[in-house]
Amino acid sequence: MIPAQPKRPTAETKSELSALPEQIRAWAKELGFAALGITTADLDSEPGSDLDHLDNWLAAGFQGQMGWMADQRELRARPEALHPNTVTVISARMDYLPEPQEIMQANLDDPDRAYISRYALGRDYHKLIRKRLQKLADQIEAAVSALGYRVFCDSAPVLEKALARNAGLGWIGKHTLVLNREAGSWFFLGEIYLDKILPSDPPQTREHCGSCQSCIDICPTQAIVAPYKLDARRCISYLTIEHRGSIDEELRPLIGNRIFGCDDCQLVCPWNRYAQPTQEADFSPRHGLGNATLIELFAWDEATWDERTKGMALRRAGYVGWLRNLAIALGNAPSSENIQSALAARKNHPNEIVHEHVRWALSRHSE
Ligand code: SF4
């Protein structure tokens, strides 16, 4: 039996297609994206390539409990395996910096206040960006014949940083995030996989980290074990958000007051001097979470947590994770009667993970 032929990308005239990228960029601007680039769906697997880097990272076990990183390796490596007939990828950037960096730094430097990664203070970016990408895809679909596409924002196995770099949006810094000379790194990425060949943008081929290694030096847990190599098992973002269960006692004092994620490598990066605050009101901090005290947040019962974190990426760690992380931060805060009584009030928490971290925190205040 003759196997079915894969669907071929439909062909517009060359001049129609060559005009399309500029039109797409204009639509993206109207939808609130700061930049957009177009690249092919091919990812190289040669030694030293992005896929080689991914395989080495997985082989080292740096993914920790994120087993899906290995399970979905093939889908990540081959865009057409994730969405059939994908030949082109649009990568789009949306900035999220909600406030000047000095304000964030002041919050981080106050050990009685909770530090929450700035991307998680406002509305959940996944939905917002996917909706905007869908609108953009609708506009593209109306302009070309028979378009097959799928939109993504941190929701599926997509090698988003390599694709963003290939689309010319920036280079991958030593901290492993994408950064850009004009915009720094405080941005989300989203993608549209397309079955239509569009003219590609020039990839970013130069890196501009130079001899700087500030992000490596500042990392509180030394999770950037070498330039471009992050051991997630030590990374505070992973530990406070993705990791379930007990956090290694050796790492707890290094977490400080960071209760959800960590921005240190971005805060120190010289390229972020050029980062502009977001235009997106939805990314503004909710419920005063930009500088709330540890005690105040630790007092939230589950119903309050559930109600206040609705529609926020902040929910990802769950309520147990929320209390666990706050207990660690309270254990790291300067001793006070208020902190000790806040911890004592949860000393007999029925959840074993919370209970264990509260006991640890109390022991720090009786040393
Ligand atoms: S802090 Fe320095 S090394 Fe790290 S990403 Fe920024 S420029 Fe590169």
Side-chain angles (χ1 to χ4, degrees):
M1 197 170 86
I2 302 167
Q5 291 296 307
K7 192 178 126 204
R8 303 294 307 164
T10 53
E12 319 288 325
T13 67
K14 261 194 163 173
S15 66
E16 277 169 344
L17 282 181
S18 63
L20 198 52
E22 281 323 301
Q23 182 62 70
I24 295 173
R25 258 185 269 281
W27 289 329
K29 276 255 148 66
E30 286 167 13
L31 288 166
F33 291 102
L36 175 148
I38 300 172
T39 185
T40 68
D42 303 323
L43 288 161
D44 187 4
S45 58
E46 295 298 306
S49 65
D50 298 302
L51 292 182
D52 186 43
H53 183 80
L54 172 65
D55 289 338
N56 291 333
W57 185 80
L58 291 169
F62 287 162
Q63 69 274 29
Q65 292 177 350
M66 297 184 290
W68 67 86
M69 291 296 297
D71 299 344
Q72 300 173 335
R73 190 265 179 209
E74 276 313 293
L75 296 178
R76 206 174 291 277
R78 294 177 42 244
E80 75 279 12
L82 182 60
H83 186 69
N85 305 315
T86 298
V87 286
T88 298
V89 178
I90 291 178
S91 175
R93 181 190 111 208
M94 190 176 282
D95 299 338
Y96 67 77
L97 186 67
E99 60 194 7
Q101 291 198 167
E102 306 75 62
I103 296 178
M104 300 159 56
Q105 188 67 56
N107 174 207
L108 181 61
D109 292 341
D110 184 342
D112 289 318
R113 291 188 186 271
Y115 187 86
I116 294 172
S117 198
R118 266 35 202 168
Y119 81 83
L121 288 175
R123 184 175 168 208
D124 190 339
Y125 64 97
H126 299 89
K127 276 190 206 154
L128 184 147
I129 293 181
R130 269 208 307 270
K131 265 192 189 167
R132 302 281 177 90
L133 287 173
Q134 182 60 52
K135 283 187 183 164
L136 182 59
D138 290 345
Q139 287 172 296
I140 301 170
E141 192 173 31
V144 298
S145 54
L147 183 72
Y149 68 87
R150 187 169 158 193
V151 302
F152 304 96
C153 178
D154 208 7
S155 52
V158 170
L159 209 60
E160 60 166 11
K161 294 181 224 171
L163 290 167
R165 185 210 48 225
N166 293 352
L169 293 190
W171 74 99
I172 299 175
K174 291 180 187 173
H175 52 12
T176 76
L177 302 171
V178 177
L179 69 163
N180 176 287
R181 274 157 71 99
E182 281 81 43
S185 62
W186 302 104
F187 52 77
F188 299 119
L189 292 168
E191 301 77 30
I192 308 178
Y193 280 11
L194 302 167
D195 69 356
K196 177 87 60 189
I197 296 172
L198 295 183
S200 288
D201 288 306
Q204 171 94 26
T205 50
R206 277 198 64 190
E207 294 180 2
H208 299 278
C209 285
S211 59
C212 175
Q213 58 161 34
S214 300
C215 52
I216 297 174
D217 297 338
I218 198 99
C219 178
T221 52
Q222 296 296 286
I224 308 170
V225 293
Y228 318 105
K229 207 176 270 185
L230 180 81
D231 184 348
R233 295 167 304 180
R234 295 188 69 80
C235 173
I236 294 174
S237 284
Y238 164 80
L239 290 168
T240 56
I241 303 170
E242 302 297 341
H243 179 81
R244 299 287 174 259
S246 180
I247 292 180
D248 190 336
E249 279 198 35
E250 270 180 41
L251 295 173
R252 293 180 199 174
L254 309 177
I255 290 174
N257 58 343
R258 300 166 189 82
I259 66 152
F260 188 96
C262 173
D263 289 331
D264 289 37
C265 62
Q266 298 198 82
L267 265 171
V268 78
C269 179
W271 291 107
N272 271 331
R273 284 198 296 257
Y274 306 104
Q276 294 299 313
T278 182
Q279 302 297 313
E280 231 19 92
D282 270 345
F283 296 148
S284 301
R286 295 182 170 182
H287 312 297
L289 284 162
N291 66 347
T293 64
L294 295 169
I295 290 181
E296 187 186 334
L297 300 185
F298 198 55
W300 285 10
D301 61 15
E302 190 159 5
T304 307
W305 175 86
D306 186 51
E307 203 265 312
R308 296 207 179 148
T309 60
K310 271 204 175 84
M312 298 178 76
L314 189 58
R315 285 175 82 79
R316 186 162 174 90
Y319 184 58
V320 165
W322 172 260
L323 291 180
R324 175 198 64 183
N325 299 343
L326 278 158
I328 293 176
L330 285 163
N332 292 331
S335 245
S336 74
E337 261 182 44
N338 287 345
I339 284 184
Q340 290 187 37
S341 25
L343 285 165
R346 293 209 183 267
K347 196 168 62 176
N348 297 318
H349 196 281
N351 181 283
E352 179 47 36
I353 296 300
V354 177
H355 180 64
E356 186 239 316
H357 287 75
V358 168
R359 266 193 333 232
W360 172 84
L362 280 166
S363 74
R364 301 262 292 169
H365 292 288
S366 59
E367 280 169 3

